[in-house]
Amino acid sequence: YVVTFFDPDAPTPSGFWHWVVVDLPASVTSLGAGAGASDATLPGGFHVRTDFGSADYGGSAPPQGDHPHRYFFVVHAVDVPTLGVDASASPAVVSFNLAFHTLARAIIAPAYAH
């Protein structure tokens, strides 16, 4: 599995990646509290660098006064045990590889505003 958290409404041309976890085994059915911490022990997977510049979970917080932002939490089921990237990959590279290996995905898309 791959888990992503993306804000398409960020004030950038390419949106904003808040969290990307790659190569979670098919046996994983949940992630515990704190799984997004940079020092978290993930069940087989790993974080890649987000647009915050760190390899961990970055919460939702649109700029003060900006319009409401949608946040896409997505779990991608993939057809390979490893996506073929390492922790130095960008979210864009992860997304590119997902285009070829996603079997199904589940999406939760809440909106948040200040």
Side-chain angles (χ1 to χ4, degrees), residues 33-77:
S38 60
D39 61 351
T41 301
L42 293 170
F46 58 91
H47 298 103
V48 301
R49 181 185 45 79
T50 67
D51 288 334
F52 287 107
S54 58
D56 56 4
Y57 172 83
S60 54
Q64 189 70 32
D66 205 9
H67 59 87
H69 288 214
R70 296 165 296 156
Y71 293 92
F72 288 81
F73 288 91
V74 183
V75 177
H76 309 261

Side-chain angles (χ1 to χ4, degrees), residues 7 9-13 63 66 69:
D7 174 2
D9 301 317
T12 68
D66 205 9
H69 288 214

Side-chain angles (χ1 to χ4, degrees), residues 19-31:
W19 195 31
V20 181
V21 179
V22 179
D23 290 354
L24 293 169
S27 60
V28 173
T29 58
S30 66
L31 294 173

Side-chain angles (χ1 to χ4, degrees), residues 53-107:
S54 58
D56 56 4
Y57 172 83
S60 54
Q64 189 70 32
D66 205 9
H67 59 87
H69 288 214
R70 296 165 296 156
Y71 293 92
F72 288 81
F73 288 91
V74 183
V75 177
H76 309 261
V78 295
D79 63 356
V80 290
T82 178
L83 202 56
V85 301
D86 61 25
S88 68
S90 69
V93 169
V94 171
S95 294
F96 180 80
N97 285 356
L98 283 171
F100 303 101
H101 294 291
T102 298
L103 295 170
R105 63 177 56 96
I107 302 170

